[in-house]
C-alpha cells in the first residue's frame, strides 16, 4: 500500500537560469525553422558562458541553398532571446556577447529512417498525471513553477525592478491522506541588482508573490523560509554558471514525482520521439485521469530508430485505478495512433509553438488556440471511455 502521509520536494528554475536560456534559444531556433518549413529537421544544442553563446547540432531544410540563407539569421534569434529574457549585465549582454553558429546538415543515416515514418531514435518515454491540482500535475512542481512565473511577470512589468532574471525555487509539500495540504519549507534564490540588498530585503520583495501563488492555508507559522540563503546573488546567468540545453529534464517534467526516460526536449523537432512521444504519454495519462479511470496514471512508451510502431505500451495506476491497467493499455492504443507520424498529426506538432515550453515546465500548462501545449487537452476522454 502506498504511503499516505509524507513530505515531497520539487524545484523549478526561471527563464533566466543559464540552462533555461539555452533551452529557450534552442527552441526559438526550432520555431524559426518550422516557420520556414513545417517539415524542417532540427536537433539544436546551445552552450552559454560569460558573454558567449555557442550553437551546434544538425538541421535540415528542403534545399541546401535555402538552408544556407536561413543560417544567416540564427545570430539574431539568439540575441533576441537573451534580450527578451532581460540580460544587460556586464558579464552577459545580448548586444555585446559573442555568438558562434556551428549548426550543420542532418546526417543522411538518421534521415533515412525518419523519412520512412520511423522514430528518430530509440528510447523510452514516460507520461504522468494525477488529481492533486486542477492541471492534473503533482503539486510541488506545479507551484514551484508558478512562483517563478509570477515573479518573472512582475519583473517584466517593472513591478520588481530590484530583481534579475536568474532564479530558482523549491517547495517541500506536506501530504496527508495522500493529498497535498501545506508547505513545510520554501526555498527561493533570486538574482538581485542592488548589491546592498540583504536576504531579508529580498524576502520582503518576493514574499507577497509567493503567498499569492500558493493555496490558502498552505503557509503556516511553522513554514520555514530560505530566501537567498547564501546571502548576495548579484552575478547571475551564464556569467555566474555555464548553461547547456537539456540539463533540466526533471524541472521540465514532473519534479521527480514520476519516472523519466532520460531524453531532453528542447531544440528537437517532433520526429524525435524523446519529445513527441513524451508529449503523447502525458496526453494519454492526463486523459486517463480526466476520464475518472484513475487518480494517478503513468504511461510508458518505447521506440526503436527507424521503426514506426511503439515496441511497448505500459500503464500503472498506482493502486488508484477504476479500470484495470491492461484495459487502459488497449484503450490508449485504440484511441490514438502512436506512430511518430500519428502523434505529430494528432497533436499538431509541426507548428512553431516550442519556445514557450522552454521555461516553467512542458506540462501542466493551458492548451492555446494556436496549437501550443496541445498535449494538455482532455479531448480524448470520450474515446477512452468508449474503448473500455
Amino acid at each position: 500500500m502506498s504511503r499516505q502521509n509524507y513530505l515531497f520536494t520539487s524545484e523549478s528554475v526561471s527563464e533566466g537560469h543559464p540552462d533555461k536560456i539555452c533551452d529557450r534559444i534552442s527552441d526559438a531556433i526550432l520555431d524559426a525553422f518550422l516557420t520556414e518549413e513545417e517539415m524542417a529537421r532540427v536537433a539544436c544544442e546551445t552552450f552559454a558562458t560569460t558573454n558567449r553563446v555557442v550553437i551546434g547540432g544538425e538541421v535540415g531544410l528542403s534545399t541546401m541553398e535555402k538552408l544556407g540563407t536561413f543560417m544567416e539569421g540564427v545570430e539574431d534569434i539568439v540575441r533576441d532571446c537573451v534580450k527578451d529574457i532581460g540580460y544587460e549585465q556586464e558579464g552577459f549582454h545580448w548586444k555585446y556577447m559573442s555568438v558562434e553558429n556551428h549548426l550543420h546538415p542532418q546526417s543522411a543515416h538518421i534521415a533515412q529512417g525518419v523519412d520512412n515514418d520511423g522514430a528518430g531514435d530509440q528510447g523510452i518515454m514516460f507520461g504522468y498525471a494525477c488529481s492533486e491540482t486542477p492541471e492534473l500535475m503533482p503539486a510541488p512542481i506545479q507551484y514551484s513553477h508558478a512562483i517563478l512565473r509570477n515573479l518573472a511577470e512582475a519583473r517584466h512589468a517593472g513591478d520588481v525592478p530590484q530583481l534579475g532574471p536568474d532564479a530558482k525555487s523549491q517547495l517541500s509539500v506536506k501530504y496527508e491522506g495522500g493529498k497535498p495540504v501545506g508547505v513545510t519549507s520554501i526555498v527561493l534564490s533570486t538574482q538581485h541588482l542592488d548589491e546592498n540588498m540583504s536576504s531579508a530585503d529580498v524576502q520582503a520583495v518576493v514574499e507577497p508573490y509567493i503567498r499569492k501563488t500558493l493555496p490558502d492555508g498552505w503557509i503556516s507559522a511553522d513554514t520555514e523560509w530560505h530566501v537567498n540563503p547564501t546571502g548576495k546573488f548579484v552575478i547571475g546567468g551564464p556569467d555566474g554558471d555555464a548553461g547547456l540545453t537539456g540539463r533540466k529534464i526533471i524541472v521540465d517534467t514532473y519534479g521527480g514525482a514520476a519516472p523519466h526516460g532520460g531524453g531532453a526536449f528542447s531544440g528537437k523537432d517532433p520526429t524525435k520521439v524523446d519529445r513527441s512521444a513524451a508529449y503523447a504519454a502525458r496526453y494519454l495519462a492526463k486523459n486517463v485521469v480526466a476520464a475518472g479511470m484513475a487518480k494517478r496514471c503513468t504511461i510508458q512508451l518505447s521506440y526503436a530508430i527507424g521503426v514506426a510502431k511503439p515496441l511497448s505500451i505500459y500503464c500503472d495506476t498506482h493502486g488508484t485505478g477504476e479500470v484495470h491497467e491492461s484495459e487502459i493499455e488497449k484503450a490508449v492504443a485504440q484511441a490514438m495512433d502512436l506512430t511518430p507520424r500519428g502523434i505529430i498529426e494528432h497533436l499538431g506538432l509541426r507548428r512553431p509553438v516550442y519556445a514557450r515550453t522552454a521555461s516553467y515546465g512542458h506540462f501542466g500548462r493551458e492548451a492555446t488556440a494556436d496549437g501550443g501545449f496541445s498535449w494538455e487537452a482532455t479531448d480524448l476522454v470520450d474515446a477512452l471511455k468508449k474503448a473500455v
Side-chain angles (χ1 to χ4, degrees):
M1 183 176 178
S2 61
R3 292 182 64 188
Q4 297 295 299
N5 303 317
Y6 56 93
L7 300 179
F8 194 84
T9 303
S10 294
E11 72 156 350
S12 179
V13 297
S14 74
E15 62 187 18
H17 185 280
D19 296 330
K20 283 289 139 195
I21 296 170
C22 295
D23 285 344
R24 167 76 172 272
I25 291 170
S26 293
D27 274 336
I29 291 171
L30 168 61
D31 280 353
F33 270 88
L34 292 175
T35 299
E36 184 71 18
E37 285 185 4
E38 67 172 19
M39 300 300 287
R41 301 281 171 75
V42 180
C44 175
E45 309 292 343
T46 303
F47 165 71
T49 186
T50 302
N51 267 335
R52 184 178 298 272
V53 172
V54 181
I55 313 296
E58 55 176 33
V59 293
L61 292 174
S62 55
T63 68
M64 290 301 294
E65 180 182 4
K66 197 172 187 179
L67 178 60
T69 301
F70 187 82
M71 289 285 217
E72 296 174 4
V74 168
E75 180 174 334
D76 289 338
I77 295 170
V78 174
R79 295 190 188 279
D80 287 345
C81 286
V82 176
K83 181 180 181 180
D84 185 64
I85 291 169
Y87 275 107
E88 294 185 343
Q89 60 193 44
E90 183 178 354
F92 197 71
H93 195 296
W94 64 270
K95 184 183 291 186
Y96 305 115
M97 66 187 185
S98 167
V99 178
E100 299 178 27
N101 179 6
H102 299 284
L103 294 171
H104 60 82
Q106 184 183 46
S107 161
H109 293 166
I110 293 176
Q112 66 186 359
V114 179
D115 290 341
N116 292 322
D117 295 332
D121 200 354
Q122 71 176 49
I124 57 174
M125 299 84 207
F126 288 93
Y128 179 72
C130 61
S131 57
E132 293 179 15
T133 62
E135 299 83 6
L136 304 186
M137 283 286 287
I141 187 65
Q142 191 69 9
Y143 289 114
S144 292
H145 286 322
I147 287 170
L148 293 182
R149 187 167 57 246
N150 289 340
L151 284 171
E153 290 173 356
R155 180 174 60 83
H156 284 295
D159 297 334
V160 285
Q162 311 96 319
L163 303 186
D166 197 355
K168 301 179 77 172
S169 65
Q170 183 172 289
L171 295 178
S172 295
V173 175
K174 182 180 181 180
Y175 286 75
E176 291 181 352
K179 297 179 180 180
V181 297
V183 176
T184 61
S185 67
I186 298 167
V187 182
L188 183 81
S189 295
T190 181
Q191 182 184 12
H192 54 95
L193 306 181
D194 183 352
E195 292 192 14
N196 296 317
M197 291 183 76
S198 66
S199 296
D201 294 332
V202 175
Q203 181 167 337
V205 173
V206 303
E207 185 172 335
Y209 292 93
I210 296 173
R211 289 186 177 274
K212 183 175 65 173
T213 301
L214 295 177
D216 290 342
W218 274 34
I219 299 176
S220 71
D222 295 327
T223 300
E224 297 180 5
W225 291 76
H226 302 281
V227 176
N228 283 15
T230 62
K232 296 187 185 302
F233 183 6
V234 176
I235 300 173
D239 189 32
D241 187 15
L244 287 170
T245 299
R247 202 160 57 173
K248 287 292 178 286
I249 58 176
I250 300 303
V251 170
D252 285 343
T253 52
Y254 308 103
H260 195 295
F265 301 155
S266 290
K268 297 178 181 178
D269 75 70
T271 66
K272 279 71 174 176
V273 284
D274 276 344
R275 182 168 219 160
S276 54
Y279 288 174
R282 160 65 179 173
Y283 176 63
L284 294 172
K286 185 174 184 180
N287 276 270
V288 166
V289 175
M293 296 179 181
K295 293 181 179 178
R296 296 173 60 201
C297 180
T298 298
I299 297 286
Q300 186 205 52
L301 304 173
S302 68
Y303 292 85
I305 188 169
V307 179
K309 185 179 178 181
L311 305 182
S312 65
I313 302 172
Y314 168 78
C315 173
D316 184 357
T317 57
H318 308 278
T320 70
E322 299 294 332
V323 178
H324 195 275
E325 284 96 339
S326 63
E327 294 301 314
I328 294 175
E329 291 164 0
K330 295 175 185 176
V332 298
Q334 181 178 328
M336 183 178 181
D337 179 357
L338 292 172
T339 65
R341 176 189 287 273
I343 293 170
I344 290 168
E345 292 180 352
H346 189 109
L347 298 178
L349 297 181
R350 293 202 181 277
R351 290 174 279 198
V353 295
Y354 296 104
R356 70 190 73 171
T357 69
S359 300
Y360 315 118
H362 292 245
F363 308 128
R365 311 285 287 274
E366 185 175 349
T368 59
D370 66 352
F373 301 102
S374 58
W375 49 92
E376 289 299 307
T378 53
D379 55 1
L380 208 64
V381 166
D382 290 341
L384 289 175
K385 288 181 176 178
K386 183 178 180 180
V388 298

